[in-house]
Amino acid sequence: MSLNILQYSKMLQKNNIEVIYSGPILASSIDSMAEMLLKRLEKEDIPLNASQSVFSVFVEQMNNMFMYSAEKIYQANSDGVLEKASRGIYILGVQDGEYFIQTGNAVTANSAAILKTRIDHLNTLDKKELRKYYKQRMMADNDNPESRGAGIGLIEIARRASSPIEYDFEPLENDLQYFTMHVTIKQRGKE
């Protein structure tokens, strides 16, 4: 099957999409993609804090997809060793002086409920309150049995975002939800 790549290229350009990745996410591939993004950001003429925010949000979102995606597969890494991988999609674009970073992956219904509650809470906090909440969570015990980290990834994303985190859940089969997260970062830096 041959696809019309020109058609896809025009669609990406029309929607201001600079980078798109869809497929398996391995722990080792996150590092490679992060390095590619870092080199790209170094070449762009934007303030360092905006570049750091884009990079940080990318890393947090990729790690969240890797750890919490309900779609798990096994895939050979560059050494030929089978590694657990998650499926997801990552989009980076630039429009009207803002970077937008959007991710999507399947999550369990329980994870969807936890994500909704946490994002809704984070979206009520200003930058000063987010900084304080971040410090509190760093000292607290992890209260989410599904979380494999300190539970601060979403806080870090909210701290670096220029506006509230946008998200959506769409029902899938087998009691799963398709989770989409959209984050914007102003090129001139954090506000």
Side-chain angles (χ1 to χ4, degrees):
M1 175 173 105
S2 178
L3 301 174
N4 185 332
I5 297 299
L6 179 59
Q7 178 184 355
Y8 284 103
S9 178
K10 287 179 180 179
M11 184 272 300
L12 295 174
Q13 188 175 21
K14 179 182 173 193
N15 290 289
N16 303 295
I17 295 171
E18 301 285 324
V19 178
I20 187 167
Y21 174 81
S22 177
I25 300 165
L26 295 111
S28 57
S29 67
I30 294 173
D31 293 339
S32 299
M33 288 188 279
E35 186 177 323
M36 177 191 73
L37 177 61
L38 192 57
K39 286 179 182 176
R40 180 185 185 105
L41 291 170
E42 287 172 353
K43 292 180 182 180
E44 296 191 19
D45 186 28
I46 61 171
L48 181 61
N49 63 343
S51 177
Q52 289 172 333
S53 291
V54 170
F55 183 77
S56 180
V57 168
F58 165 82
V59 170
E60 291 297 342
Q61 286 183 302
M62 291 300 286
N63 279 316
N64 282 342
M65 284 193 298
F66 175 71
M67 291 191 293
Y68 304 114
S69 174
E71 293 181 285
K72 301 290 186 192
I73 58 173
Y74 283 90
Q75 182 164 331
N77 65 17
S78 58
D79 298 325
V81 177
L82 281 182
E83 236 184 283
K84 187 182 275 189
S86 298
R87 292 200 55 80
I89 185 168
Y90 172 85
I91 296 171
L92 170 71
V94 182
Q95 182 176 14
D96 300 328
E98 289 185 332
Y99 279 90
F100 60 90
I101 304 164
Q102 191 163 342
T103 54
N105 61 283
V107 296
T108 65
N110 188 47
S111 288
I114 292 168
L115 284 164
K116 181 178 180 355
T117 300
R118 289 200 172 164
I119 294 172
D120 286 346
H121 173 68
L122 293 172
N123 283 342
T124 67
L125 304 177
D126 64 23
K127 295 299 180 187
K128 187 176 180 181
E129 292 166 327
L130 283 167
R131 191 170 29 258
K132 182 179 175 183
Y133 187 56
Y134 180 87
K135 289 177 183 177
Q136 289 172 348
R137 292 301 307 156
M138 287 293 289
M139 302 298 196
D141 290 329
N142 188 358
D143 60 353
N144 179 2
E146 290 190 17
S147 177
R148 294 160 187 85
I152 59 169
L154 285 174
I155 303 169
E156 182 65 14
I157 291 170
R159 288 178 63 200
R160 299 218 177 238
S162 299
S163 57
I165 297 170
E166 296 176 42
Y167 67 91
D168 189 43
F169 293 98
E170 293 182 46
L172 298 171
E173 296 176 354
N174 302 321
D175 203 31
L176 297 178
Q177 300 279 323
Y178 196 81
F179 171 52
T180 303
M181 184 187 326
H182 184 92
V183 176
T184 57
I185 298 167
K186 291 190 184 327
Q187 285 186 6
R188 68 175 187 272
K190 297 183 287 186
E191 296 187 339

